[in-house]
Amino acid sequence: MAYQTCDIVEALSAGGMTVSQLKVDGGGSSSDLLCQFLADISGLQIVRPRELERTALGVAYVAGTGVGLWDGPADVEKAWEADRVFDPAMAPDRREELYGGWRQALARTLTGPPRTATVVAPPSAQSLTNDRSLEEQS
């Protein structure tokens, strides 16, 4: 999940968007190990909210905004509270080594293993002579 998230951040950056922080939620975000690895491999600050299951809450915010309970995203943003912040701690060269390995594995998966040509040498004159003499003996 962390590597795929990095791929998305990379695509956003290539499209001109600046990403300096990621806010995470959902079941996976309850893992400190996953959040720290995501911070390390992405080089970004990862912020986890107090309320992890944000999907249903997001639907409620949209519905509430629709009926006038909230004026818009700014009101909803005020209700967001951070539980923990994960800062990158991995050395940049290690980050590139690991992410480079991910990219190589992904490329191999998408294109298949490298194909190698099998070269079969033509039989030598001596082996042909030996094969014929065996046939003659039978």
Side-chain angles (χ1 to χ4, degrees), residues 66-115:
V67 297
L69 189 57
W70 293 286
D71 289 331
D75 287 343
V76 173
E77 182 67 26
K78 291 176 193 173
W80 199 96
E81 261 185 85
D83 170 55
R84 183 161 174 199
V85 176
F86 298 85
D87 290 310
M90 186 180 286
D93 58 332
R94 179 69 174 145
R95 176 182 308 126
E96 187 53 41
E97 176 187 359
L98 290 174
Y99 190 53
W102 160 256
R103 283 185 249 148
Q104 289 173 0
L106 187 59
R108 284 192 305 271
T109 300
L110 296 174
T111 62
R115 296 186 180 191

Side-chain angles (χ1 to χ4, degrees), residues 4-127:
Q4 289 175 331
T5 301
C6 286
D7 290 343
I8 293 167
V9 169
E10 192 173 85
L12 291 171
S13 296
M17 185 175 242
T18 302
V19 180
S20 59
Q21 178 188 74
L22 293 176
K23 291 182 176 179
V24 297
D25 63 31
S29 65
S30 65
S31 168
D32 289 353
L33 179 65
L34 178 58
C35 290
Q36 185 59 57
F37 185 70
L38 179 55
D40 288 341
I41 202 68
S42 68
L44 300 172
Q45 186 178 70
I46 306 302
V47 184
R48 180 173 63 199
R50 289 195 187 278
E51 182 64 44
L52 294 180
E53 296 305 328
R54 307 291 295 177
T55 303
L57 192 54
V59 171
Y61 283 145
V62 169
T65 302
V67 297
L69 189 57
W70 293 286
D71 289 331
D75 287 343
V76 173
E77 182 67 26
K78 291 176 193 173
W80 199 96
E81 261 185 85
D83 170 55
R84 183 161 174 199
V85 176
F86 298 85
D87 290 310
M90 186 180 286
D93 58 332
R94 179 69 174 145
R95 176 182 308 126
E96 187 53 41
E97 176 187 359
L98 290 174
Y99 190 53
W102 160 256
R103 283 185 249 148
Q104 289 173 0
L106 187 59
R108 284 192 305 271
T109 300
L110 296 174
T111 62
R115 296 186 180 191
T116 56
T118 304
V119 178
V120 178
S124 67
Q126 181 62 41
S127 69

